[in-house]
Amino acid sequence: MFYFILFVLVIVARVSAEEAKEEDGILVLTTSDFDSAIAENEFLLVEFYAPWCEHCKDFAPEYSQAATRLKEAGSNVVLAKVDATVELQLAEKYEIRSYPTVKLFNNGTSVLYQGGLNDDSLVDWLKKKTGKPARDLKDKASVSAFKNETDFAVIGFFKDQQSESVKEFLNVAVELEDVLFGITSDSDSFKDNNVTKDGIVIFKKFDDGRNDFEGEFNENAIRSFISENQLPHVIEFAQAVVKKIFTSVVKKHILLFVKKEGSEDILKGFHEVAKDHKGKYLFIYLDIENANNAHLLKYFGVAENNSPDLRIVHFYEEITKFKPSSTGVDPAAIRKFIKEDIAGTLEIDYKSEDIPEDWDSRPVKILVGKNFEEITSNKNKAVLVQFFAPWCEECRNLNPVWDELAENYEKNDSIVIAKIDVISNELKDHNIEEFPTFKYFSRGNDQVIVYTGDYTLEAFTVFLESDGKEIVKVQVKETEDQAEDEEAAKVDTDETVDKEAKVDKEEKVDKVSKDDKETKDDKETKAEKAAKAAKKDKEEL
């Protein structure tokens, strides 16, 4: 009997092992074997992906390369993946909302990976998460090996590792998850790396190769030092560096849109200017022939036949874009562009489509950035504008009502019905955050009224006829259940209930029921707005 049980256990173990398939060094997990994989591995890194996701496809070879590197290094981290479009229970359980989502599982808890989608960033992050924030480097050999392990390494040289300076250094090491930190007190390592006193040195395999910290030993200064030197003088825009670009302490970026192949001289000049503005501007170039950059060309209003071209972007509370005042991308033109930006003489660039030839040929007038101000500021006409996004389903559903409204007022010389795509057109004084949004530009004055009424032909008509003074709100209808409850209350013949108290009670119940329904509707509206805002953010990114 004992041998039979043992035989069964062995068979079960083999079946379990066979269930977890492997592709390119990555475990392929499903709902049936996910929990056992977590239980069997101290550290399990899981990518939740979708087969149609382009970022997932780009990340696949990087993820596989990371798995290979970790195995060769003898790491106790196992990499796995889950098709979240098939394993819906797992996707729901772990709140997967975007692809790829990568989580590290350890002892029943999970940590979200938010670094770059490349093997270097992933491996460095895992080393930190599964070990100390800064690796203890005992001798010259370990320091040398550490420097060669990655393209960007930070080493703290401290004779006393219990000092306050070390505490500040380690706090930054914990925070910067995508940077590899080491620490040493070895005197030979000090001498071998030309370090004469306590200090922090960045060793990197690009640009000047080394940066020595010269500030005060506090978190802010150390963090800024690392951030300013973490990226090359010139960066090619790619998914792997997006996070580093947008989280950089350098908030002014100069972008070069160029065909990478055959533009060596242009890029050489770009590098030349970049060296003179280190820490003040990030210099980034985008290959216009890379299909992944197409949406950025559209966002910045750069036509492929107009390349090479330049833009400056300020990433402060609001993102502002600037075009150069003259053509050219040679070093002199780039320096002139930067000089004008520093002087504040450049005008903010607002993206606009070209004015369609037939923009006013139909009842609904089509506005773009270039004609918006002219049409809405006409004091002889009142203009009701719908601000929409192409992906907004509610906007599309509204089209029949909007078209009919415009047809009804087509022969009215004092009222214009219009709409504008605010994804393709940017407006100086109108920051639209919800779709659709309606604004009424009054006739004869500068008053602008935001319409908040019902999306029906009747409600829009009342609003227009009252010159924007009357707004018809959505009426909440009573449900059949409420009507039945009220009818039952009316025929209640309980003689012990005082009639006046009964009436009062019914009125209160009715009021509470309606208030509850209105509150529910309000919550649903907020949820819808939040979803729309999130969708807009995702679309713009």
Side-chain angles (χ1 to χ4, degrees):
M1 184 65 178
F2 169 78
Y3 292 105
F4 174 75
I5 294 173
L6 182 63
F7 173 76
V8 170
L9 290 175
V10 169
I11 294 299
V12 169
R14 286 179 178 174
V15 171
S16 178
E18 289 173 358
E19 284 179 352
K21 297 178 182 178
E22 190 172 302
E23 292 179 1
D24 299 323
I26 310 294
L27 287 181
V28 182
L29 301 179
T30 64
T31 305
S32 62
D33 56 14
F34 190 86
D35 290 340
S36 61
I38 290 178
E40 292 166 6
N41 297 283
E42 181 182 5
F43 294 102
L44 182 71
L45 187 73
V46 182
E47 176 203 3
F48 294 88
Y49 73 97
W52 45 259
C53 165
E54 292 299 326
H55 291 313
C56 301
K57 294 175 184 177
D58 293 339
F59 184 46
E62 300 286 340
Y63 198 54
S64 179
Q65 177 63 22
T68 301
R69 287 175 56 183
L70 290 167
K71 284 182 180 179
E72 291 175 350
S75 172
N76 59 345
V77 181
V78 174
L79 270 60
K81 63 181 180 180
V82 170
D83 183 345
T85 66
V86 174
E87 308 302 330
L88 299 179
Q89 285 183 318
L90 291 176
E92 182 178 355
K93 180 178 180 180
Y94 294 105
E95 300 179 341
I96 307 305
R97 301 289 181 265
S98 61
Y99 306 109
T101 292
V102 181
K103 293 191 174 189
L104 177 64
F105 292 85
N106 170 242
N107 294 326
T109 62
S110 65
V111 179
L112 178 66
Y113 173 67
Q114 300 183 68
L117 297 180
N118 59 81
D119 69 305
D120 283 335
S121 297
L122 190 61
V123 170
D124 290 348
W125 182 81
L126 286 169
K127 287 178 180 177
K128 290 187 66 174
K129 282 297 180 183
T130 57
K132 296 179 180 179
R135 194 182 307 173
D136 192 12
L137 308 174
K138 300 291 187 182
D139 49 35
K140 288 195 305 182
S142 59
V143 170
S144 178
F146 183 81
K147 287 161 55 177
N148 293 321
E149 193 173 313
T150 181
D151 288 344
F152 187 90
V154 181
I155 299 180
F157 292 83
F158 296 100
K159 294 177 181 177
D160 177 12
Q161 293 198 19
Q162 304 303 316
S163 67
E164 289 299 318
S165 298
V166 171
K167 290 180 182 178
E168 298 289 312
F169 175 74
L170 291 178
N171 286 340
V172 177
V174 170
E175 179 187 338
L176 301 182
E177 296 181 339
D178 58 344
V179 178
L180 204 57
F181 285 77
I183 186 169
T184 185
S185 299
D186 177 57
S187 57
D188 289 337
S189 295
F190 272 68
K191 184 178 179 181
D192 193 53
N193 289 280
N194 299 317
V195 180
T196 58
K197 58 181 181 179
D198 282 4
I200 301 170
V201 182
I202 291 173
F203 297 94
K204 54 190 183 183
K205 297 177 183 177
F206 53 85
D207 294 344
D208 37 13
R210 172 173 174 156
N211 303 106
D212 290 74
F213 180 66
E214 298 177 352
E216 296 291 328
F217 286 103
N218 61 69
E219 287 186 40
N220 289 335
I222 297 170
R223 188 186 303 109
S224 295
F225 165 68
I226 294 171
S227 182
E228 288 174 6
N229 293 286
Q230 191 175 4
L231 292 168
H233 295 321
V234 173
I235 311 152
E236 180 177 6
F237 187 88
Q239 184 64 30
V241 295
V242 165
K243 183 184 176 184
K244 292 179 181 179
I245 290 174
F246 289 114
T247 57
S248 171
V249 295
V250 181
K251 300 303 180 184
K252 290 186 175 184
H253 302 176
I254 182 163
L255 310 181
L256 171 65
F257 297 86
V258 65
K259 289 182 180 179
K260 183 178 179 180
E261 187 176 350
S263 298
E264 290 78 10
D265 290 343
I266 293 175
L267 290 171
K268 183 179 179 181
F270 199 54
H271 274 84
E272 178 187 320
V273 181
K275 292 178 182 178
D276 299 334
H277 295 84
K278 179 183 175 182
K280 298 176 182 177
Y281 286 84
L282 285 187
F283 281 68
I284 305 164
Y285 74 90
L286 297 91
D287 183 2
I288 63 171
E289 292 186 320
N290 185 334
N292 291 330
N293 294 332
H295 65 292
L296 290 170
L297 296 180
K298 183 178 180 182
Y299 178 76
F300 286 101
V302 175
E304 191 170 333
N305 57 0
N306 287 339
S307 67
D309 206 348
L310 295 168
R311 293 290 186 274
I312 284 178
V313 188
H314 293 180
F315 285 94
Y316 295 107
E317 289 185 5
E318 292 186 2
I319 299 175
T320 48
K321 309 190 298 289
F322 303 88
K323 282 183 178 180
S325 59
S326 55
T327 58
V329 294
D330 57 279
I334 298 170
R335 287 194 171 92
K336 178 180 179 236
F337 191 20
I338 293 173
K339 186 176 180 180
E340 290 173 337
D341 179 48
I342 294 171
T345 58
L346 296 170
E347 291 188 4
I348 296 175
D349 175 41
Y350 294 99
K351 177 178 59 178
S352 174
E353 295 176 299
D354 290 332
I355 301 174
E357 292 182 3
D358 60 345
W359 73 272
D360 63 346
S361 64
R362 291 185 289 273
V364 176
K365 309 309 175 188
I366 305 301
L367 304 185
V368 296
K370 293 178 179 179
N371 68 351
F372 181 86
E373 192 66 29
E374 177 187 353
I375 303 305
T376 58
S377 62
N378 187 342
K379 296 297 186 293
N380 296 321
K381 296 178 182 290
V383 185
L384 180 59
V385 181
Q386 177 195 161
F387 299 82
F388 74 96
W391 44 258
C392 169
E393 184 176 353
E394 191 168 7
C395 302
R396 291 195 294 268
N397 293 339
L398 184 64
N399 282 338
V401 172
W402 205 245
D403 289 341
E404 187 174 354
L405 181 69
E407 289 170 4
N408 292 347
Y409 285 92
E410 185 175 13
K411 295 181 180 179
N412 189 321
D413 294 334
S414 61
I415 294 178
V416 174
I417 308 299
K419 64 180 181 180
I420 181 169
D421 173 359
V422 288
I423 301 301
S424 301
N425 299 276
E426 297 170 337
L427 304 171
K428 181 178 180 181
D429 299 316
H430 301 277
N431 184 25
I432 307 300
E433 298 180 347
E434 297 177 7
F435 302 105
T437 289
F438 305 91
K439 291 189 179 183
Y440 180 73
F441 298 81
S442 302
R443 179 179 55 193
N445 58 56
D446 295 326
Q447 185 180 19
V448 179
I449 302 170
V450 178
Y451 177 78
T452 58
D454 194 4
Y455 295 172
T456 64
L457 181 63
E458 295 77 10
F460 283 124
T461 302
V462 169
F463 179 74
L464 289 171
E465 292 299 322
S466 66
D467 193 25
K469 295 180 177 62
E470 293 185 31
I471 296 179
V472 178
K473 296 284 189 178
V474 177
Q475 297 298 313
V476 180
K477 296 181 179 180
E478 295 180 344
T479 64
E480 291 182 3
D481 289 341
Q482 286 175 304
E484 290 175 2
D485 289 343
E486 290 175 6
E487 186 64 28
K490 288 179 183 179
V491 298
D492 189 347
T493 58
D494 190 347
E495 295 180 356
T496 63
V497 180
D498 181 83
K499 290 184 178 180
E500 293 181 356
K502 179 183 173 184
V503 171
D504 181 60
K505 181 180 178 180
E506 287 175 354
E507 290 176 347
K508 287 180 179 178
V509 170
D510 183 54
K511 184 178 185 300
V512 169
S513 179
K514 289 183 179 180
D515 287 346
D516 286 347
K517 183 169 177 60
E518 289 173 351
T519 302
K520 182 181 179 183
D521 287 345
D522 288 343
K523 288 180 180 178
E524 290 174 347
T525 300
K526 289 177 182 177
E528 290 170 358
K529 289 178 179 178
K532 291 173 189 173
K535 191 172 183 181
K536 177 190 175 188
D537 291 343
K538 184 177 180 182
E539 190 79 10
E540 290 178 342
L541 287 172

